[in-house]
C-alpha cells in the first residue's frame, strides 16, 4: 500500500484524489493546508487519516511514502525541497517550478538524497497520447513535418486569483501554455528557434500567448494559449503521408483519428471513468515499488527541457516574475 500525502487541497487536488482512490494500492494518508479548516474538510470528504494545518506538519509523519504537491506555482520549488530534504518522494504539479534554476536545484537535491521526484505532467500518461506517440514513432504518418496545438478558455477575471495574480505565477503560459509546449516537445523534441508574442492584461500577466517553434529539419510547431476565449483545444501531428488529429480536449483526450493518404479515417478511443490523474499516480507507485528515483516515461531531463522552453518563451514575450 502506498501512503499518499496531499499538499494544497485546491481544485486540482480534489480531482487527483478522486482518481487516486480508484487505485487499489493507494491510501490517502494525509492532507496539509495552510488552513486547518480546509484540511479538515478535505480529509473528511475523502477519508484521509491525517488533516494538517501547516505544510511543515507533513514532515512529522514517518510512514508517508509520497506527496502530491498542488500548491500555487510559486510554492512548488520551496515545497519540493522541504519534502526531498526529509526523504519524502514528490509528485509536483506543473509547472515544476518557476524557472530552470529552481528545477535544477530540485533535481540536484533529489539525486543527492536518492529520493523519487517527478513532474505531474499527467497528459504524458494518457493512453491516447501514448498511442499517438507510438504511431508517430512507428512512421504511421511518414516523416513528421509539424504540429499544432491550442489551449484556451474564457476565464473569469479575478485579479487576486491564481490565473491573474502575478505574485502567484499567473498567466496563460505557465498555467495552460505549458501543454502545447509539452506536445511539441513530445513529438519533435527541442527546437532550433522559438518566436513568441503575448497580450498582457491589467495585472501584468500574459492573457494570450502565441508560439512558433522551428526544428533542425524544417519542422514547425504552431502553438497558442489564451484565458480570453474558449478555443477548440485540439492537437494535430502532420506528416508526409498523413496526420493524427487528437480530439478535444486534447491534453486529457479519449480519442484520436488517424488520417492517412489512401485510407479511411481510423478513430481510436480509450474510454475511462476517471478524470485521468490515476494513470500518473499508478505510474508513480510502480516507480516506487521498483525502487526508481525518477520516471523512465517523463524523466527529470524532460522536465528540465520543458522548463527551458518555458523560460525561452518568457524571455521572448518579456514576462518576468519576482521569484
Amino acid at each position: 500500500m502506498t501512503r499518499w500525502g496531499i499538499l494544497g487541497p485546491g481544485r486540482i487536488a480534489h480531482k487527483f484524489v478522486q482518481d487516486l482512490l480508484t487505485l487499489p494500492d493507494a491510501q490517502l494518508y494525509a492532507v496539509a493546508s495552510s488552513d486547518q479548516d480546509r484540511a479538515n474538510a478535505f480529509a473528511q470528504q475523502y477519508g484521509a487519516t491525517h488533516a494538517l494545518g501547516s505544510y511543515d506538519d507533513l514532515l512529522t509523519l514517518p510512514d508517508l511514502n509520497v506527496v502530491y504537491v498542488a500548491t500555487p506555482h510559486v510554492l512548488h520549488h520551496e515545497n519540493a525541497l522541504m519534502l526531498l530534504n526529509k526523504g519524502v518522494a514528490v509528485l509536483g504539479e506543473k509547472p515544476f517550478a518557476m524557472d530552470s534554476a529552481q528545477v535544477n536545484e530540485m533535481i540536484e537535491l533529489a539525486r543527492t538524497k536518492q529520493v523519487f521526484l517527478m513532474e505531474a505532467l499527467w497528459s504524458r500518461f494518457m493512453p491516447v497520447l501514448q498511442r499517438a506517440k507510438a504511431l508517430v514513432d512507428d512512421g504511421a504518418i511518414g516523416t513528421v513535418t509539424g504540429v499544432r496545438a491550442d489551449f484556451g478558455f474564457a476565464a473569469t477575471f479575478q485579479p487576486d486569483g491564481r490565473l491573474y495574480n502575478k505574485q502567484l505565477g499567473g498567466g496563460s503560459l505557465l498555467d495552460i501554455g505549458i501543454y502545447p509546449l509539452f506536445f511539441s516537445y513530445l513529438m519533435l523534441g527541442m527546437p532550433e528557434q522559438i518566436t513568441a508574442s503575448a497580450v498582457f492584461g491589467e495585472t501584468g500577466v500574459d492573457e494570450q500567448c502565441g508560439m512558433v517553434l522551428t526544428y533542425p529539419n524544417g519542422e514547425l510547431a504552431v502553438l497558442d494559449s489564451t484565458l480570453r476565449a474558449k478555443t477548440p483545444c485540439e492537437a494535430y501531428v502532420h506528416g508526409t503521408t498523413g496526420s493524427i488529429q487528437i480530439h478535444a480536449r486534447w491534453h486529457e483526450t479519449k480519442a484520436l483519428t488517424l488520417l492517412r493518404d489512401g485510407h479511411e479515417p481510423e478513430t481510436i478511443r480509450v474510454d475511462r471513468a476517471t478524470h485521468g490523474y490515476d494513470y500518473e499516480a499508478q505510474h508513480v507507485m510502480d516507480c516506487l515499488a521498483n525502487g526508481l528515483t525518477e520516471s523512465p516515461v517523463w524523466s527529470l531531463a524532460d522536465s528540465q527541457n520543458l522548463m527551458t522552453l518555458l523560460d525561452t518563451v518568457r524571455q521572448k514575450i518579456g514576462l518576468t516574475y519576482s521569484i
Side-chain angles (χ1 to χ4, degrees):
M1 185 67 67
T2 303
R3 292 176 292 274
W4 284 82
I6 304 297
L7 203 161
R11 182 179 61 88
I12 298 299
H14 279 270
K15 291 183 176 182
F16 179 84
V17 167
Q18 288 162 16
D19 288 359
L20 182 70
L21 294 178
T22 68
L23 301 175
D25 294 328
Q27 177 188 358
L28 180 58
Y29 192 61
V31 56
S33 173
S34 57
D35 182 319
Q36 183 69 61
D37 289 340
R38 289 187 73 203
N40 291 342
F42 193 95
Q44 183 175 6
Q45 183 174 353
Y46 298 112
T49 307
H50 300 278
L52 308 171
S54 80
Y55 299 160
D56 292 346
D57 286 348
L58 278 174
L59 306 179
T60 67
L61 304 177
D63 296 330
L64 193 62
N65 298 129
V66 56
V67 170
Y68 172 62
V69 174
T71 49
H73 302 340
V74 292
L75 296 178
H76 291 174
H77 167 254
E78 173 187 334
N79 296 154
L81 293 182
M82 175 189 76
L83 294 163
L84 293 170
N85 267 313
K86 287 294 184 177
V88 179
V90 173
L91 173 63
E93 254 308 330
K94 57 82 194 163
F96 216 13
M98 290 299 293
D99 61 18
S100 293
Q102 289 189 345
V103 168
N104 292 341
E105 186 179 1
M106 291 158 56
I107 291 173
E108 182 179 353
L109 180 60
R111 288 176 172 162
T112 299
K113 295 282 188 177
Q114 297 187 327
V115 179
F116 181 85
L117 173 66
M118 190 183 91
E119 183 179 14
L121 218 300
W122 66 313
S123 298
R124 181 64 182 91
F125 302 93
M126 292 291 180
V128 172
L129 282 175
Q130 291 193 346
R131 184 65 183 276
K133 174 62 172 169
L135 287 168
V136 168
D137 290 347
D138 290 344
I141 57 171
T143 302
V144 174
T145 60
V147 305
R148 290 178 180 265
D150 73 280
F151 196 149
F153 63 96
T156 301
F157 181 66
Q158 296 176 319
D160 295 327
R162 68 176 187 85
L163 288 176
Y164 292 97
N165 188 338
K166 201 170 185 182
Q167 300 306 312
L168 295 178
S172 81
L173 176 63
L174 292 188
D175 198 70
I176 55 177
I178 188 174
Y179 286 109
L181 275 172
F182 151 74
F183 186 71
S184 67
Y185 174 71
L186 179 65
M187 296 301 173
L188 290 171
M190 293 297 279
E192 192 171 64
Q193 180 180 346
I194 297 177
T195 59
S197 182
V199 176
F200 291 87
E202 63 182 75
T203 62
V205 302
D206 69 293
E207 295 185 0
Q208 299 197 90
C209 185
M211 298 158 276
V212 177
L213 284 61
T214 308
Y215 296 82
N217 294 320
E219 306 97 327
L220 204 66
V222 180
L223 318 169
D224 65 270
S225 60
T226 180
L227 301 176
R228 292 187 171 188
K230 181 180 179 181
T231 64
C233 290
E234 293 183 329
Y236 294 84
V237 188
H238 300 299
T240 52
T241 62
S243 296
I244 297 172
Q245 176 189 7
I246 303 177
H247 298 280
R249 293 192 312 164
W250 70 263
H251 71 292
E252 57 179 354
T253 189
K254 298 178 182 178
L256 66 78
T257 298
L258 178 60
L259 306 164
R260 293 182 293 172
D261 299 345
H263 295 76
E264 289 295 315
E266 178 186 350
T267 297
I268 299 168
R269 292 192 60 89
V270 180
D271 289 319
R272 63 175 188 270
T274 64
H275 302 292
Y277 294 95
D278 48 313
Y279 298 115
E280 69 174 358
Q282 183 62 62
H283 179 72
V284 169
M285 293 194 296
D286 291 343
C287 288
L288 293 176
N290 288 304
L292 301 180
T293 55
E294 68 176 278
S295 165
V297 176
W298 185 249
S299 69
L300 296 176
D302 290 328
S303 290
Q304 286 175 309
N305 286 338
L306 184 56
M307 185 53 69
T308 296
L309 294 176
L310 288 166
D311 283 354
T312 303
V313 172
R314 281 177 49 197
Q315 186 271 326
K316 296 288 184 180
I317 64 177
L319 175 61
T320 60
Y321 293 97
S322 298
I323 301 173

